[in-house]
Amino acid sequence: MNLSYDLLPPSLYWMSHIAFAVLMGIAFYTAPWKRFRKSEQLHVFLGSAVILLLVWSLKAGINPGLNYHLLGGTLFALMFGWQFALIGVSLVLCGYIFNSGGEWATFSLNALLMGAIPVLLSSLVLHLAIRHLPHHFFVYVMVNAYFCGGLAMAITVGTAAGLLLGFEAYSFSELVDGYLPFAPFMIFAEGFFTGMLAASMALMRPDWIWTFDEGRYITGK
């Protein structure tokens, strides 16, 4: 994750700029902006972005592109919906690049990798769970938070490894020896913290987690 410019061909970064611009345009156009008429909701959104920026700063890794940190995309998708989740993660990435002196040319690709993939995946899983699974608090927490958080991390890591391997930035042995063995720990950590925080907010501050419908998941209506 956090791919640097010299790892992949420039054409891939240019294509990612176009894809990210289209996706962000859809997010801005369809986002429920009226939610922020309540100042508390805006404060929660901005505060969550600041906290996620601090979490992203706690990363582990040695070689460029071969590092790990918690994503938070699934939690943001559950808290704010996919549009504001994508916008929020993009703001976090802006702050991360600004503070770390990173490469702005890689912004779109990393935003797609660490933002769009977990956010859109989580929104899809939530939609499928609502349609096909029982409307129960346990289902919401275990499937949409614990399971989906870990799945989002797994797919993000797999996509990053696939790009690095496909474009020969690293060999298969380098990825197997220095990157992939740590993936299970991060998958578990992402799922655990997403589930723990989602459950805590659903129980104590349900107004902070927009996708949690008390009528659906508590009373079963």
Side-chain angles (χ1 to χ4, degrees), residues 56-124:
W56 278 26
S57 300
L58 303 174
K59 62 179 182 178
I62 300 176
N63 295 320
L66 301 184
N67 51 53
Y68 282 108
H69 59 72
L70 296 177
L71 297 174
T74 297
L75 185 62
F76 262 47
L78 295 176
M79 290 179 67
F80 308 113
W82 79 266
Q83 298 98 327
F84 286 127
L86 183 61
I87 294 170
V89 173
S90 299
L91 291 175
V92 171
L93 182 58
C94 286
Y96 178 84
I97 293 176
F98 181 80
N99 289 331
S100 64
E103 302 164 304
W104 288 102
T106 68
F107 174 84
S108 295
L109 182 59
N110 283 318
L112 292 173
L113 182 67
M114 297 183 292
I117 288 178
V119 166
L120 296 180
L121 173 68
S122 302
S123 298
L124 175 61

Side-chain angles (χ1 to χ4, degrees), residues 152-165:
M153 174 64 79
I155 294 179
T156 298
V157 170
T159 303
L163 289 173
L164 293 171
L165 181 62

Side-chain angles (χ1 to χ4, degrees), residues 14-28 107-108 112:
W14 280 108
M15 287 189 290
S16 68
H17 292 326
I18 297 173
F20 177 76
V22 171
L23 188 59
M24 186 61 73
I26 296 173
F28 267 94
F107 174 84
S108 295
L112 292 173

